[in-house]
Amino acid sequence: MNKIPFLRPNPAMLSKAIEELRRIESAGIFSNFGPVNSTLEHELERVIFGGTGECVTVCNATTGLMIAMKHHLRDRLGRRFALMPSFTFAATAHAALWAGLTPLLCDIDVETWTSSVVAERELLDRFRDEIAIVVPCTTFGNAIDLAYYEWLSEEYGIPMVVDAAAALGTLCEDGRAFGTGYRSPIVFSMHATKVFATAEAGVIYCADREVSGELRSMTNFGFHGSRSALMPGLNGKLNEIIALMALLKLPDFEAAVEHRAAIAELYRRELPELTFQRLVGRRQAFTFVSALLPQGVAAARTELLAQLARDGIDLRTYFSPHLAEHPYFREVSTWGILPNTEEVARRIISLPLSDFMTAADVESVAQSLRRAFKCLAP
Ligand SMILES: *Cc1c(COP(=O)(O)O)cnc(C)c1O
């Protein structure tokens, strides 16, 4: 039987880049904004963001989020909340907590699974003077309306940081890469499990050069042109080896995103029993494919996953538990009512995806799921 893993990372192979590795060794520069990292930043700007704005690489997206959140706090002392959806990855809340903030968790839209505009406005009105930053998330790589968020940020006088960890490769309706031209920091991940696979890496995109310069200083202990700390900082720099992995990944990145979008489309066609995420924008970058189980099967989700595992198919349940269900975040966060989050988290499954996945694999997953549906909700 053909085993189908949940994910299969596909980073560039360093074993085939001996010449490039030798060049790093003879340059003798291994980190601290080295030449490979600088080339990578420029190439990301050019190839992905159409030559506008600036890319600041970081050692991972979580560190990027911490830095971007902390940057906004410098003139917002006394405000304690970071407004974010409860339906996101643990990293979003951890980053806020490391920046000294309390996550304020809001509900999601029942179709796009990104923050509900109504729930967000309700919390913004209720906690107006206590919210330091708004943190919209591009759930599973789905685009969000950044023009709306820029307006919201202006309207309430609250800055934003976007957790776009899974959205590198996502295209807006106008065909441009998600984030292009926006002045608020947008944080993307290049973790091994994401579409733009390296080992551990991230990038902060920002079209405001003053802000991106400060963010870069913050990745290097708050130094700027001297060895004196001028602002908060930590060590968030990307090293030359991983920068090389990222640079080598760039040429096949577009094809990987396209392949995954095509596989996601096949899943949709093969499994009309499932409710898929409503796509916003022209193209979503898929790390995996998420869908809601039919009402009658949702209660038996654990059994369903076990049954598929017996067929060699590995499913997950991102983001269930959602943040307000994690024991730690329950203790240290505040939240509004979360009916849509609870409904989506209760029914969600994450289907396998990788650059290597074929139409036949999708067919195997679909057959196995249909068999399980028959036996769990006869
Ligand atoms: C992957 C992910 C992160 C973390 O990215 P790292 O690069 O692994 O730190 C943060 N937020 C979301 C929504 C993610 O999917």
Side-chain angles (χ1 to χ4, degrees):
M1 187 181 48
N2 188 15
K3 272 199 186 305
I4 301 178
F6 178 56
L7 301 172
R8 207 176 133 197
N10 186 25
M13 293 172 77
L14 283 177
S15 55
K16 291 191 178 158
I18 299 302
E19 258 326 297
E20 290 89 339
L21 288 168
R22 281 215 180 92
R23 239 174 278 146
I24 291 172
E25 286 172 352
S26 51
I29 303 169
F30 298 92
S31 188
N32 292 22
F33 314 130
V36 182
N37 181 68
S38 298
T39 305
L40 171 64
E41 287 182 340
H42 291 134
E43 285 298 286
L44 290 170
E45 286 158 21
R46 188 179 70 80
V47 177
I48 296 183
F49 298 101
T52 66
E54 204 160 326
C55 286
V56 177
T57 56
V58 279
C59 54
N60 58 60
T62 307
T63 304
L65 286 167
M66 286 164 56
I67 289 169
M69 289 181 189
K70 186 82 175 171
H71 180 269
H72 278 326
L73 295 184
R74 289 193 290 154
D75 43 28
R76 322 225 21 109
L77 296 171
R79 294 190 174 225
R80 60 193 177 112
F81 287 127
L83 178 59
M84 64 181 67
S86 190
F87 195 69
T88 182
F89 187 54
T92 325
H94 277 308
L97 287 156
W98 278 102
L101 293 166
T102 299
L104 174 60
L105 309 174
C106 72
D107 206 8
I108 50 168
D109 178 87
V110 79
E111 292 185 344
T112 62
W113 310 342
T114 56
S115 288
S116 149
V117 167
V118 176
E120 234 167 19
R121 286 299 285 274
E122 200 269 317
L123 291 174
L124 276 165
D125 289 328
R126 178 141 52 111
F127 294 102
R128 193 172 192 122
D129 300 325
E130 293 177 79
I131 299 176
I133 45 170
V134 178
V135 190
C137 298
T138 59
T139 314
F140 306 135
N142 208 5
I144 53 172
D145 185 350
L146 286 177
Y148 165 77
Y149 277 104
E150 286 229 316
W151 170 85
L152 191 74
S153 173
E154 278 284 305
E155 182 75 7
Y156 284 83
I158 301 174
M160 78 169 162
V161 169
V162 182
D163 182 344
L168 201 51
T170 293
L171 300 180
C172 297
E173 212 43 78
D174 64 6
R176 299 204 291 177
F178 176 78
T180 304
Y182 284 91
R183 300 169 68 85
S184 298
I186 302 175
V187 184
F188 299 94
S189 174
M190 298 187 280
H191 188 266
T193 53
K194 298 290 204 288
V195 190
F196 199 118
T198 62
E200 293 272 3
V203 59
I204 310 175
Y205 174 86
C206 177
D208 182 331
R209 287 191 179 264
E210 197 175 322
V211 173
S212 61
E214 289 174 356
L215 293 172
R216 181 171 283 115
S217 296
M218 288 178 75
T219 69
N220 192 31
F221 310 104
F223 296 162
H224 191 89
S226 76
R227 300 252 135 208
S228 304
L230 303 177
M231 58 190 89
L234 44 63
N235 182 358
K237 300 182 299 290
L238 184 65
N239 70 66
E240 289 286 275
I241 312 294
I242 307 298
L244 174 61
M245 279 182 96
L247 200 52
L248 295 172
K249 180 71 192 175
L250 198 51
D252 8 290
F253 176 56
E254 178 61 23
V257 184
E258 276 294 316
H259 174 73
R260 285 160 176 261
I263 294 289
E265 188 49 40
L266 274 183
Y267 268 128
R268 253 173 224 264
R269 257 188 276 150
E270 286 283 335
L271 290 159
E273 304 90 329
L274 299 178
T275 306
F276 289 85
Q277 186 175 23
R278 184 163 72 76
L279 173 67
V280 177
R282 185 177 298 181
R283 184 183 70 186
Q284 186 170 349
F286 288 93
T287 306
F288 42 79
V289 179
S290 307
L292 303 186
L293 289 170
Q295 287 290 1
V297 189
R301 184 172 61 181
T302 307
E303 177 49 33
L304 178 104
L305 263 60
Q307 196 163 321
L308 266 84
R310 287 194 286 275
D311 289 346
I313 296 165
D314 189 11
L315 301 192
R316 304 287 164 89
T317 60
Y318 289 96
F319 298 113
S320 173
H322 61 88
L323 296 185
E325 293 178 319
H326 290 237
Y328 176 59
F329 299 132
R330 286 188 75 80
E331 264 177 50
V332 295
S333 307
T334 299
W335 54 90
I337 55 162
L338 305 168
N340 296 342
T341 306
E342 282 158 12
E343 169 74 3
V344 169
R346 189 175 65 78
R347 290 170 58 195
I348 201 135
I349 51 168
S350 329
L351 302 168
L353 185 61
S354 76
D355 296 353
F356 308 99
M357 190 135 181
T358 64
D361 292 334
V362 174
E363 184 54 38
S364 304
V365 176
Q367 275 176 6
S368 180
L369 265 177
R370 282 193 292 260
R371 266 200 308 276
F373 290 165
K374 272 209 200 90
C375 84
L376 295 169

